[in-house]
Amino acid sequence: MKKFFEYVQEIKEKQGITSDYAVAKLLLIDPTKIGYMLEGKRNPPPATGYIIADLLGHDHREVCTCLAYEQTKDEAQREYLKSVFFRYSRRVAALFLAITIGVGATISERSMAYEIFHKDMTYSQIIRIKARTHLALCATAFTSSARSFSGKLLASGTVIGE
């Protein structure tokens, strides 16, 4: 799970910024306090996770969960936050799997995606996510931007959920 410092580094790279002061301004943080936050001596304000997510194009759940995990000292709460993070990661893996299968990936790429997605999951979780993925793909097929994708999916004879 990423730490605040790592998100700041990613923002610097993406925005072409070199100073912590400029990042603090972007994150709506008092520039005199960002050094303490980067050292882990202070916690960033609650809105920071959402701002980071917007700047980097990440899901806010991922970023906020990572920041909360970093700030929390209680082990039971940390375990819960870790489970939230991995549940979200599985959803991302499901999307990756659907896209990989749909765009004609090689058999080895499909196998790798399938293994990543299904690792440490119960059978009922796999079935539920496969069903959601199938429904999401069906809904997407009706949009104009997905028409070519759905045509390839149908032409390839790929069946989601097997």
Side-chain angles (χ1 to χ4, degrees), residues 82-150:
K82 193 186 304 184
S83 75
V84 169
F85 178 80
F86 287 118
R87 278 194 309 255
Y88 171 73
S89 297
R90 287 184 183 135
R91 289 187 187 121
V92 171
L95 179 61
F96 171 71
L97 176 65
I99 291 170
T100 302
I101 290 171
V103 295
T106 66
I107 291 175
S108 63
E109 290 169 336
R110 289 182 192 179
S111 298
M112 181 186 74
Y114 192 83
E115 272 188 40
I116 290 169
F117 173 61
H118 291 93
K119 186 178 181 186
D120 300 325
M121 291 182 70
T122 66
Y123 180 73
S124 62
Q125 288 173 321
I126 294 167
I127 296 303
R128 279 197 311 268
I129 293 188
K130 281 183 177 181
R132 284 188 209 134
T133 305
H134 180 69
L135 289 173
L137 286 175
C138 289
T140 304
F142 290 108
T143 64
S144 61
S145 63
R147 285 192 182 126
S148 64
F149 172 73
S150 63

Side-chain angles (χ1 to χ4, degrees), residues 8-161:
V8 168
Q9 292 303 100
E10 192 175 343
I11 289 169
K12 284 180 175 180
E13 290 172 17
K14 188 170 185 176
Q15 300 286 331
I17 297 171
T18 57
S19 74
D20 294 338
Y21 178 87
V23 174
K25 287 296 192 180
L26 277 176
L27 297 177
L28 306 177
I29 294 174
D30 181 353
T32 62
K33 297 178 182 171
I34 194 165
Y36 295 112
M37 292 174 200
L38 292 171
E39 293 171 5
K41 294 178 182 175
R42 291 190 73 138
N43 294 326
T48 305
Y50 297 97
I51 298 168
I52 289 171
D54 288 343
L55 288 171
L56 297 175
H58 295 326
D59 188 282
H60 70 276
R61 290 172 293 194
E62 173 194 342
V63 177
C64 291
T65 302
C66 287
L67 293 180
Y69 181 85
E70 180 182 5
Q71 296 167 8
T72 304
K73 303 298 178 216
D74 181 85
E75 277 305 311
Q77 291 180 12
R78 288 174 70 91
E79 284 303 312
Y80 175 76
L81 289 168
K82 193 186 304 184
S83 75
V84 169
F85 178 80
F86 287 118
R87 278 194 309 255
Y88 171 73
S89 297
R90 287 184 183 135
R91 289 187 187 121
V92 171
L95 179 61
F96 171 71
L97 176 65
I99 291 170
T100 302
I101 290 171
V103 295
T106 66
I107 291 175
S108 63
E109 290 169 336
R110 289 182 192 179
S111 298
M112 181 186 74
Y114 192 83
E115 272 188 40
I116 290 169
F117 173 61
H118 291 93
K119 186 178 181 186
D120 300 325
M121 291 182 70
T122 66
Y123 180 73
S124 62
Q125 288 173 321
I126 294 167
I127 296 303
R128 279 197 311 268
I129 293 188
K130 281 183 177 181
R132 284 188 209 134
T133 305
H134 180 69
L135 289 173
L137 286 175
C138 289
T140 304
F142 290 108
T143 64
S144 61
S145 63
R147 285 192 182 126
S148 64
F149 172 73
S150 63
K152 287 179 185 176
L153 184 64
L154 293 171
S156 70
T158 303
V159 177
I160 304 291

